Amino acid sequence: DNRPIVIAVDGPAASGKGTIARALAAHFGLPHMDTGLLYRAVALNLWRWGGDPSSEFEALRACSAVGVDPDDPELRSEAVSKYASAISAYPSVRAALLERQQEFAGQPKGAVLDGRDIGTVIAPDAPVKLFVTASAEVRAQRRVRELLARGMPAHLEDVLLDIHARDDRDSSRKTAPLRQADGALLLDTTDLDVDQSIAKAINLAEEQLARAE
Ligand code: CDP
Ligand code: CDP
């Protein structure tokens, strides 16, 4: 069977979707794209220019010439997270980043993409769709651990507030709001460690692929 395997992994901040998407890509031998990095790269561009995230025009300008160095620690800073959430609500910004993502998803063997709208907008026909969640408190703890491990400052209360604010904005925006796509299976990682989350995700993906045969 040479049909492409397209895997859509969506969910809120620090739910574990990136970890799960990378593991699924390794398991199935597929390329992986973290689509949040595209929005973060635009946000970082804008931030470095001193641009205004409340201006759709300036945010759109920041989409041109975005190069992503995925290891740039500034991509993960709180300021850039806030900017990313703000600029990702603009339809013109989402449209500017659409083609790159759809091309990536359209590779002959397939691909794994993680983000907010992969199962709803980027690859609605994907045979495998997961919606990864966890409680906001657990997600905030994970993000704090992650930031500290990267040598960046982090305070639980601030991170929790930011996570709530981004959840609200990502879910309530008009264009491509965060929601469980039709056909997506829910994976709640609140009480799962990384290995358990990955094992569960692989089981769910295999299940969906078997059903799609
Ligand atoms: O890792 P985390 O979930 O905190 O964030 P991310 O996936 O890197 O995404 C950063 C921001 O980009 C999110 O808050 C979303 O507002 C936006 N985003 C989006 O709108 N659509 C996507 N497919 C991916 C990210
Ligand atoms: O991509 P997303 O923002 O949804 O989350 P992630 O980057 O995959 O995970 C955020 C942090 O939580 C990472 O440091 C993971 O190692 C950790 N994590 C965890 O502690 N337990 C899980 N079940 C999943 C992820």
Side-chain angles (χ1 to χ4, degrees):
D1 189 355
N2 285 326
R3 267 181 298 183
I5 301 178
V6 180
I7 302 183
V9 184
D10 291 303
S15 55
K17 62 189 179 300
T19 303
I20 284 168
R22 277 193 302 277
L24 288 171
H27 179 79
F28 291 104
L30 297 170
H32 165 238
M33 178 184 262
D34 171 355
T35 65
L37 280 184
L38 298 175
Y39 292 91
R40 286 177 182 271
V42 172
L44 181 57
N45 237 356
L46 187 69
W47 186 68
R48 285 195 175 136
W49 289 351
D52 178 4
S54 65
S55 157
E56 179 164 4
F57 178 73
E58 291 188 24
L60 182 60
R61 260 205 331 176
C63 291
S64 57
V66 278
V68 196
D69 168 11
D71 296 321
D72 188 335
E74 280 198 292
L75 281 174
R76 265 103 184 168
S77 71
E78 266 189 73
V80 168
S81 297
K82 287 205 178 77
Y83 270 42
S85 173
I87 59 101
S88 68
Y90 298 131
S92 61
V93 168
R94 305 201 71 84
L97 299 176
L98 187 73
E99 200 180 338
R100 270 165 87 163
Q101 298 173 76
Q102 287 188 327
E103 261 173 26
F104 194 88
Q107 294 178 81
K109 64 197 302 202
V112 184
L113 291 89
D114 74 278
R116 300 291 188 286
D117 64 338
I118 310 304
T120 52
V121 175
I122 303 296
D125 297 328
V128 178
K129 291 184 191 178
L130 298 179
F131 191 79
V132 184
T133 59
S135 73
E137 287 71 24
V138 163
R139 289 187 286 124
Q141 283 163 6
R142 287 177 186 166
R143 191 42 55 88
V144 166
R145 243 183 279 136
E146 210 180 9
L147 289 167
L148 293 177
R150 287 176 191 268
M152 302 173 73
H155 302 282
L156 187 60
E157 297 90 285
D158 296 344
V159 171
L160 185 58
L161 280 175
D162 174 63
I163 277 187
H164 279 304
R166 282 204 290 144
D167 284 357
D168 287 347
R169 221 175 4 228
D170 291 347
S171 317
S172 64
R173 68 185 176 217
K174 284 215 184 66
T175 312
L178 173 66
R179 64 173 181 82
Q180 189 174 344
D182 291 336
L185 297 180
L186 186 68
L187 173 48
D188 186 334
T189 68
T190 305
D191 298 315
L192 303 180
D193 65 23
V194 168
D195 289 347
Q196 292 168 326
S197 303
I198 290 172
K200 187 92 187 274
I202 290 175
N203 277 339
L204 293 176
E206 299 277 16
E207 208 177 279
Q208 285 180 304
L209 278 178
R211 235 186 291 149
E213 296 277 295

